[in-house]
Amino acid sequence: MKQQYINGQWVDSISKKTREIINPFNQEVIAVAAEGDIADAQMAIAAARKAFDLGPWPTTPATERGRIVGKIADFIERDKEELAELESLDTGKTVEESRGDMEDIAGVFRYYAEIADKDGGEIIDSPIPNSVSKVVKEPVGVCGQITPWNYPLLQASWKLAPALVTGNTLVIKPSEITPLTHVKVFELIEEAGVPAGVANLVLGAGNTVGAELSNHVDVDLISFTGGIQTGKKIMQAASVNVKKLALELGGKNPNVVFADADLETAIDQAMNAVFFHAGQICSAGTRLIVEESIHDEFVQQLVERVKNIKLGNGFDETTQMGPLISQEHLNKVTNYVEAGIKEGATVAVGAKRPNDPALQNGFFYLPTILTNCTTDMSVVQNEGFGPVITVEKFTTEDEAINLANDSIYGLSGGVWTKDIAKAERCVAKMRMGTVWINDFNLYFPHAPWGGFKQSGIGRELGKTGLEEYQETKHVFHNLKPEPINFF
């Protein structure tokens, strides 16, 4: 059974409850995991609080913390095939995608290990004679971290690595349906020598474990990646002790294609922007916005390409797209597409379950393209989180920008054009945290990740992602104190 890791010990849930973990490809049970609840979360928070307030980790030299986090990166690289297989079993994504994820995850731990000791603070000029004024960075404290089911370990790495190298302690809760790689990476955290109580893993549901992390006064920061409605609840709960917040709440991301773009590449990347992991990607370019003069040709070629996407078992090396994560999510995507059709969208391809008998036990949905879409449709405004592209038209540059910005979200977007000036004009006006020019869905650890508007608060990755886990302190030292004699 997959256990929790609390205060340096592998433990069952206090209630002894468990949860079956299933493979989305065939609904077979692949593991049984402990099912923690509020009491387990409280025990982990107490361990993290004690480790921060009384333990050595916050004052351990940053170089040493970086060395330990670097060992975690080494172990991930060593065990990447096992981790990739667990991730594909848990999520249904292709094992090729999961292997790429593991390389990225090791890279995130490596990046933060390498920059751990690169910011020792700064001396600032003091206007007061005989004094020294400096600014130092210190850990926030106890961090609650809640990760999603779509990229379980990748999203965890964005939180674990910066929190650890900056001297924080933490309690992390994975999605209750995809905990397997979290359990494995905590074995590696233990092997790397992270002290007991510093990093704690609690398995369980969001409405119990996640809610307790958000509500508990001994938690100083909450980092959450997931849906916007849950994010709003976390914001409200965090107000109990004015926790620091880092929220990534998804997106409805525009992919704008001008007539002068390299069409072959833009069509290929329009598929890459959406159909990896069956479209279950917060940055998926699901809003395809195409200049009217090339719209029909672009859509026709795209549809022909999409028809050939091979669905199947993620462990079959010929599979290009796996299933959705669960029956519940399959129902959600199905209803999402049906709502769009009722609002006037036209089905160009897909919009149903596959007929292949070999896929009937899995949560599969065909890659889908909906045309004749407008911004007043729910299918354009709402995040569907599935293999679905909606297509809109534009005729002018200003119209393209207005369409792209017509959303409550602002996570990411793309612009395709050979006109450098046009690209830069668009980027300057697009209200998103990441905008790609002639590319889509590219990221790396050095660059910050996060959104504008209701896509969230704060940033992960890059130096900014490190600073989310730090407090800034000003220290003023009077070298020649004297009485003021005012009173």
Side-chain angles (χ1 to χ4, degrees):
M1 187 178 75
K2 304 300 181 182
Q3 294 179 299
Q4 306 177 113
Y5 187 74
I6 298 175
N7 202 24
Q9 300 292 320
W10 291 98
V11 296
D12 296 337
S13 63
I14 294 173
S15 69
K16 302 302 180 183
K17 291 180 181 178
T18 60
R19 176 187 293 268
E20 292 183 339
I21 308 302
I22 68 168
N23 182 348
F25 169 69
N26 55 18
Q27 302 188 53
E28 290 183 358
V29 176
I30 53 176
V32 176
E35 179 78 356
D37 56 25
I38 293 173
D40 300 85
Q42 290 172 343
M43 183 167 64
I45 292 166
R49 186 78 266 168
K50 183 178 179 180
F52 185 81
D53 293 342
L54 303 177
W57 189 249
T59 56
T60 297
T63 302
E64 175 62 10
R65 294 196 300 257
R67 185 189 69 81
I68 292 174
V69 170
K71 288 176 69 176
I72 299 171
D74 293 339
F75 297 152
I76 290 170
E77 290 174 343
R78 181 194 69 193
D79 297 346
K80 63 182 179 182
E81 189 63 25
E82 178 186 356
L83 283 161
E85 290 177 2
L86 288 171
E87 200 79 300
S88 287
L89 278 172
D90 225 357
T91 64
K93 70 171 66 175
T94 68
V95 74
E96 182 179 357
E97 289 179 71
S98 292
R99 289 181 184 127
D101 288 349
M102 297 312 135
E103 293 176 2
D104 290 346
I105 290 160
V108 171
F109 278 95
R110 182 86 59 210
Y111 168 74
Y112 282 113
E114 291 174 350
I115 69 170
D117 60 355
K118 299 302 185 287
D119 185 0
E122 62 176 325
I123 302 295
I124 58 176
D125 188 42
S126 172
I128 311 300
N130 300 309
S131 69
V132 175
S133 184
K134 60 183 179 179
V135 176
V136 298
K137 297 292 180 66
E138 296 182 356
V140 170
V142 176
C143 303
Q145 302 178 328
I146 305 171
T147 58
W149 49 255
N150 60 331
Y151 284 84
L153 192 53
L154 183 67
Q155 292 294 330
S157 72
W158 294 12
K159 303 177 191 301
L160 289 169
L164 288 172
V165 298
T166 47
N168 295 278
T169 62
L170 63 94
V171 180
I172 192 167
K173 188 207 86 68
S175 167
E176 60 270 29
I177 60 175
T178 55
L180 299 187
T181 49
H182 279 66
V183 173
K184 175 61 182 177
V185 88
F186 264 77
E187 294 175 6
L188 306 185
I189 287 171
E190 183 179 42
E191 183 181 355
V194 175
V198 170
N200 303 274
L201 171 68
V202 181
L203 309 179
N207 60 5
T208 54
V209 177
E212 185 63 16
L213 291 175
S214 303
N215 283 303
H216 204 292
V217 295
D218 279 341
V219 176
D220 303 300
L221 175 149
I222 286 287
S223 177
F224 168 77
T225 301
I228 190 169
Q229 296 306 320
T230 302
K232 290 178 179 180
K233 292 178 182 177
I234 288 172
M235 289 184 72
Q236 293 173 340
S239 66
V240 66
N241 63 331
V242 196
K243 290 177 177 65
K244 291 190 70 173
L245 289 171
L247 306 175
E248 201 265 73
L249 305 179
K252 186 66 179 173
N253 311 290
N255 189 13
V256 179
V257 183
F258 285 93
D260 64 346
D262 178 338
L263 293 191
E264 180 181 0
T265 303
I267 289 168
D268 183 72
Q269 289 282 15
M271 298 171 68
N272 296 336
V274 177
F275 297 123
F276 281 116
H277 196 18
Q280 298 166 121
I281 308 172
C282 59
S283 59
T286 52
R287 286 187 65 198
L288 183 60
I289 302 173
V290 183
E291 190 162 358
E292 187 170 20
S293 61
I294 61 166
H295 171 275
D296 292 351
E297 178 188 359
F298 192 99
V299 170
Q300 181 181 1
Q301 291 188 38
L302 180 62
V303 167
E304 292 306 310
R305 290 280 303 272
V306 168
K307 287 178 180 178
N308 294 322
I309 294 175
K310 185 178 185 300
L311 278 61
N313 188 340
F315 289 91
D316 181 343
E317 296 291 346
T318 66
T319 294
Q320 296 173 303
M321 195 182 92
L324 297 170
I325 191 66
S326 66
Q327 183 65 54
E328 179 184 6
H329 192 59
L330 173 60
N331 294 342
K332 177 183 175 183
V333 172
T334 301
N335 293 337
Y336 168 84
V337 172
E338 289 176 353
I341 295 170
K342 288 179 181 178
E343 290 176 322
T346 300
V347 177
V349 66
K352 60 183 179 180
R353 296 255 293 146
N355 295 322
D356 186 348
L359 304 180
Q360 295 312 300
N361 288 335
F363 307 122
F364 286 92
Y365 196 81
L366 287 173
T368 298
I369 298 175
L370 301 178
T371 59
N372 296 318
C373 295
T374 56
T375 55
D376 59 348
M377 294 179 177
S378 62
V379 76
V380 172
Q381 289 297 327
N382 298 334
E383 185 179 34
F385 225 60
V388 182
I389 295 175
T390 62
V391 186
E392 303 163 69
K393 299 178 185 178
F394 70 91
T395 55
T396 68
E397 182 178 322
D398 286 343
E399 184 183 5
I401 294 168
N402 289 336
L403 287 172
N405 285 331
D406 188 1
S407 173
I408 64 170
Y409 295 102
L411 183 59
S412 65
V415 177
W416 291 87
T417 177
K418 295 176 182 176
D419 186 331
I420 297 174
K422 182 192 295 182
E424 293 294 341
R425 287 194 303 270
C426 290
V427 167
K429 294 179 181 179
M430 291 171 72
R431 299 286 296 165
M432 293 133 209
T434 295
V435 182
W436 297 281
I437 299 173
N438 297 330
D439 214 317
F440 213 97
N441 264 343
L442 182 70
Y443 87 97
F444 40 86
H446 311 72
W449 182 265
F452 289 15
K453 298 188 279 188
Q454 293 188 44
S455 282
I457 297 171
R459 293 294 182 271
E460 293 185 297
L461 299 180
K463 186 179 178 182
T464 311
L466 191 78
E467 292 169 349
E468 292 287 346
Y469 291 94
Q470 294 178 311
E471 295 281 17
T472 300
K473 177 183 285 185
H474 174 229
V475 179
F476 178 82
H477 186 180
N478 189 338
L479 301 175
K480 192 178 179 181
E482 297 176 348
I484 297 176
N485 293 321
F486 183 81
F487 295 104

